[in-house]
């Protein structure tokens, strides 16, 4: 995999050779069941190598400068499966990782959980859509807060 990307687009993996990634994994003591913080700007090469070494056991928290989870083409080509990546990999933006960060969603007014049947059908449907959107935003916010709590609890191996 590394040789392919070195020959094809070496800048995407920052010219990391096989021996370099081996040393990185060895010196960082990457092992199954470990918990690691990672900054990966190599199209997912470091993340994929760590997941491979960990065998789907443990946790990796990736800190990124992107607003949304970055595209990791190398990780995708390794065919780990969504279940393993969801279980083992968490992604936070640098700003979200700060302890005093407050998401915009947390300062919005509370929602109304009830929809009354006395309104006209269009208004009722619009309210239901808004409630559905709000529930999705709350789920995303809950996931973000869980990742932030996990990061700040510590106990990272490297």
């Amino acid at each position: 995999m590394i040789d392919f990307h070195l020959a094809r687009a070496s800048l995407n993996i920052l010219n990391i050779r096989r021996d370099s990634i081996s040393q990185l994994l060895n010196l960082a003591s990457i092992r199954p069941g470990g918990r690691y913080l990672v900054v990966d700007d190599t199209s997912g090469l470091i993340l994929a190598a760590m997941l491979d070494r960990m065998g789907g056991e443990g946790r990796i928290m990736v800190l990124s400068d992107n607003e949304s989870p970055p595209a990791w083409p190398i990780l995708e080509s390794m065919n780990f499966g969504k279940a393993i990546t969801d279980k083992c990999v968490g992604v936070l933006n640098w700003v979200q990782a700060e302890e005093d960060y407050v998401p915009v969603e947390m300062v919005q007014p509370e929602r109304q959980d009830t929809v009354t049947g006395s309104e006209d059908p269009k208004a009722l449907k619009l309210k239901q859509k808004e409630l559905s959107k709000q529930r999705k935003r709350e789920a995303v916010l809950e996931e973000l807060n869980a990742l932030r709590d996990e990061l700040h609890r510590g106990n990272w191996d490297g």
Side-chain angles (χ1 to χ4, degrees):
M1 182 70 66
I2 293 172
D3 292 337
F4 171 77
H5 285 282
L6 270 174
R8 187 170 169 242
S10 60
L11 288 178
N12 289 349
I13 61 168
L14 303 177
N15 293 308
I16 295 178
R17 300 183 322 250
R18 266 189 280 169
D19 60 321
S20 300
I21 199 79
S22 297
Q23 267 190 322
L24 184 112
L25 295 173
N26 190 39
L27 293 173
S29 297
I30 306 299
R31 65 194 185 311
R35 295 173 43 84
Y36 305 98
L37 295 174
V38 177
V39 178
D40 185 353
D41 198 21
T42 61
S43 301
L45 174 65
I46 294 171
L47 182 58
M50 290 177 70
L51 270 176
D52 187 50
R53 171 78 59 99
M54 293 169 63
E57 301 287 325
R59 187 74 166 146
I60 301 171
M61 181 72 66
V62 181
L63 299 173
S64 169
D65 58 355
N66 299 328
E67 290 276 330
S68 60
W72 291 308
I74 295 176
L75 183 66
E76 290 173 9
S77 66
M78 294 287 286
N79 295 325
F80 284 114
K82 185 168 173 40
I84 290 176
T85 55
D86 286 349
K87 180 182 102 174
C88 296
V89 179
V91 181
L92 281 177
N93 180 294
W94 284 105
V95 174
Q96 294 169 335
E98 302 222 1
E99 286 192 72
D100 59 350
Y101 172 74
V102 177
V104 175
E105 291 86 3
M106 289 186 79
V107 293
Q108 289 182 350
E110 289 191 28
R111 67 180 165 103
Q112 295 179 355
D113 278 328
T114 58
V115 176
T116 59
S118 62
E119 300 173 23
D120 69 76
K122 282 187 177 183
L124 187 64
K125 191 170 187 174
L126 185 64
K127 273 192 174 182
Q128 288 174 337
K129 276 187 176 181
E130 287 300 316
L131 283 174
S132 175
K133 286 180 186 178
Q134 185 124 15
R135 285 187 195 109
K136 288 178 186 175
R137 281 193 299 265
E138 287 173 355
V140 168
L141 181 62
E142 188 176 309
E143 183 180 342
L144 171 65
N145 285 332
L147 284 171
R148 293 181 73 243
D149 290 344
E150 180 182 3
L151 173 70
H152 295 296
R153 261 194 316 272
N155 297 326
W156 298 98
D157 296 323

